[in-house]
Amino acid sequence: MSYGTLWGACRALLARDLALLWRRRGDALNPMLFALMVVALFPFAIGPEPQVLGRIAAGTVLVALLLAGLLSLDALFRSDLEDGSLEQLVLSPHPLALLLACKIFVHWLTTALPLVAIAPLVGEMLFLPGPVQPVLLAVLALSTPLLSLIGAVCVALTVGMRRSGMLLALLVLPLYVPVLIFAAGACNAAQNGLPVAAPLLWLGAGLALSLVLAPLACAAALKISIS
Amino acid sequence: MNPDPDTPPLLEARGLAFARNDEPIFGPIDFALRHGEVVLMEGDNGSGKTTLLKVLSGLVEPSAGAVLLNGEPLTLARLSHQVALLGHLLGLKGELSPLQNLRFAIGLGGLRAGITPNQALLSVGLEGFEEVPLRQLSAGQKKRVALARLLLVPAALWLLDEPYANLDREGIALVNRLLEVHARRGGAALITSHGAYAYTSGTPRRIPLKAVA
């Protein structure tokens, strides 16, 4: 008889969620296409002047990514709640918070990471000044997991309700604003040749804090929604 | 295995009651479930059978009374590998095949000695459906996949919510056979039923659950 290990449980969950995403790969691509469309439409609406576009490039990419992440957020725990998988997760002998952290990781991996990967290309498209490029990448690497973690807590709180989409947006946006402010602050500082360490460190601190606390909060909220 | 009066019962409920927003759902009830026992919990629709199973599995806190597992108070942390719940929601993914679903269940809950997912699917009569996406199976076949999961995970206590629903006559016999084998090797099971189907082999103890007016 084998009782399975925590690592085995996390691996099984990661494998299952990735397999599920592969089955729904058309839907999984939606956020990425959305972000690309937003970024591609800006030059048409504002005009092709490199100075203007270069000025707004970083902010445009940040907002597009933030909204794209919001698109897929609502589905994070919904199907698990509706088909009873969540009950099985809660009843499993492993810490729920860690299992949920795996789910959030998959969400980040499949919605945010591809966008971070194409960010240099998008930056080039919008005439993002060269020195800002690495800063934008660093900002995205720190802020996208933070957004996924914060979003997951809000989803866990609202998933038990019907038609929770609007409520979710209302809950999430105020919490996203500080992240956006620090992220944009770093990009602006880089654009003006100022040091960027402070906002990046703030984002890093936020990420460290939410890496620890967000899965615990998710676990507590989801236990309430299945009872 | 003969029930030994000295060992504490696998599951014991003492004065167990549950109320939602001050509206009583069931109880207070007392019962004990020993190793090797299958107990049928009978009640009409709305008598709180599903809620009772949720309380017994530790998903929901009771409003009064206590649940003891092997003589110790039940907490989610102490459940580890002892309880398997089969509810109305089967906890299976429609996009994945039965085999993928079972492999996930094993990763999450562990594996009983001497059985593989393929053997489990064979013994619930789903040979040849291993790789078919679950959503293409009928409701009864999905239920059988969930029954295969019970065979695989090493839980001693099965909490089954209406296990006979959606099953054909052969499926009902299958559930009875699984329960018999499980009881013979020292496991215990609590089954809820609204009475339309019955556990036919042996004479299981019946506990009536009355709706609280």
Side-chain angles (χ1 to χ4, degrees):
Chain A
M1 200 169 304
S2 97
Y3 285 133
T5 57
L6 178 57
W7 167 235
C10 291
R11 218 173 34 192
L13 186 60
L14 290 174
R16 188 202 68 168
D17 277 11
L18 288 173
L20 281 174
L21 269 163
W22 182 247
R23 289 284 156 87
R24 301 175 193 153
R25 52 191 177 272
D27 294 346
L29 274 179
N30 264 348
M32 198 164 144
L33 288 176
F34 172 79
L36 270 179
M37 276 192 307
V38 170
V39 173
L41 286 178
F42 258 80
F44 291 110
I46 289 179
E49 294 88 6
Q51 288 84 9
V52 179
L53 285 177
R55 181 78 194 78
I56 62 160
T60 310
V61 173
L62 283 171
V63 172
L65 251 74
L66 186 150
L67 292 177
L70 210 55
L71 272 185
S72 57
L73 206 56
D74 191 45
L76 185 55
F77 300 124
R78 182 162 304 281
S79 72
D80 277 341
L81 182 76
E82 283 172 355
D83 66 16
S85 300
L86 199 61
E87 281 178 10
Q88 302 291 337
L89 281 186
V90 174
L91 284 177
S92 96
H94 306 292
L96 182 62
L98 265 172
L99 297 176
L100 296 178
C102 289
K103 284 193 74 74
I104 300 169
F105 174 70
V106 171
H107 175 259
W108 174 78
L109 195 72
T110 52
T111 61
L113 194 61
L115 289 170
V116 176
I118 59 165
L121 185 77
V122 171
E124 205 58 52
M125 232 166 77
L126 293 177
F127 300 106
L128 186 71
V132 190
Q133 285 273 16
V135 178
L136 179 65
L137 267 185
V139 160
L140 290 178
L142 287 173
S143 60
T144 49
L146 186 53
L147 295 177
S148 284
L149 286 161
I150 295 174
V153 177
C154 299
V155 177
L157 281 170
T158 56
V159 72
M161 306 167 200
R162 263 170 245 277
R163 290 192 291 277
S164 56
M166 200 62 213
L167 184 63
L168 178 66
L170 281 175
L171 264 178
V172 158
L173 282 178
L175 296 170
Y176 274 7
V177 167
V179 181
L180 186 62
I181 288 174
F182 283 121
C187 294
N188 280 336
Q191 213 138 17
N192 299 323
L194 297 171
V196 294
L200 283 182
L201 287 175
W202 273 108
L203 284 177
L207 179 58
L209 197 69
S210 56
L211 259 181
V212 177
L213 295 182
L216 293 172
C218 281
L222 284 178
K223 272 182 196 163
I224 295 171
S225 57
I226 57 169
S227 65
Chain B
M1 198 157 93
N2 287 322
D4 177 1
D6 291 336
T7 54
L10 186 56
L11 182 77
E12 192 178 357
R14 286 187 191 158
L16 198 64
F18 183 77
R20 187 173 283 132
N21 305 328
D22 291 331
E23 188 189 325
I25 305 286
F26 68 77
I29 53 169
D30 295 85
F31 68 88
L33 187 62
R34 297 189 172 278
H35 290 274
E37 244 186 339
V38 175
V39 166
L40 197 62
M41 184 69 69
E42 283 182 317
D44 300 331
N45 295 351
S47 57
K49 298 186 297 283
T50 301
T51 315
L52 173 68
L53 285 197
K54 280 191 172 183
V55 172
L56 290 176
S57 62
L59 284 174
V60 178
E61 290 277 315
S63 338
V67 183
L68 303 181
L69 194 66
N70 286 319
E72 289 182 53
L74 175 82
T75 59
L76 265 182
R78 202 170 283 138
L79 272 179
S80 51
H81 303 292
Q82 303 199 54
V83 179
L85 175 71
L86 173 60
H88 283 291
L89 301 170
L90 300 175
L92 299 168
K93 289 287 175 195
E95 288 91 340
L96 302 181
S97 70
L99 213 50
Q100 280 174 308
N101 272 301
L102 292 181
R103 285 211 190 97
F104 170 65
I106 293 170
L108 203 61
L111 178 64
R112 196 185 289 275
I115 189 163
T116 65
N118 280 310
Q119 287 168 353
L121 283 176
L122 179 68
S123 57
V124 295
L126 283 181
E127 198 188 13
F129 292 96
E130 288 91 347
E131 303 293 346
V132 181
L134 200 78
R135 70 157 106 238
Q136 293 176 14
L137 302 184
S138 71
Q141 285 173 319
K142 284 178 196 160
K143 193 96 181 202
R144 284 167 186 251
V145 177
L147 291 171
R149 184 176 63 207
L150 285 179
L151 288 177
L152 287 167
V153 296
L157 175 61
W158 289 359
L159 300 173
L160 312 183
D161 197 5
E162 303 278 4
Y164 300 107
N166 289 333
L167 287 177
D168 52 17
R169 200 171 302 165
E170 201 188 318
I172 292 169
L174 169 73
V175 174
N176 287 337
R177 209 160 56 235
L178 296 183
L179 285 170
E180 233 171 277
V181 172
H182 184 60
R184 214 178 306 135
R185 64 182 168 211
L190 184 73
I191 318 170
T192 67
S193 170
H194 51 69
Y197 311 99
Y199 179 72
T200 48
S201 48
T203 45
R205 207 146 51 82
R206 288 158 194 265
I207 302 174
L209 192 66
K210 294 219 170 55
V212 182

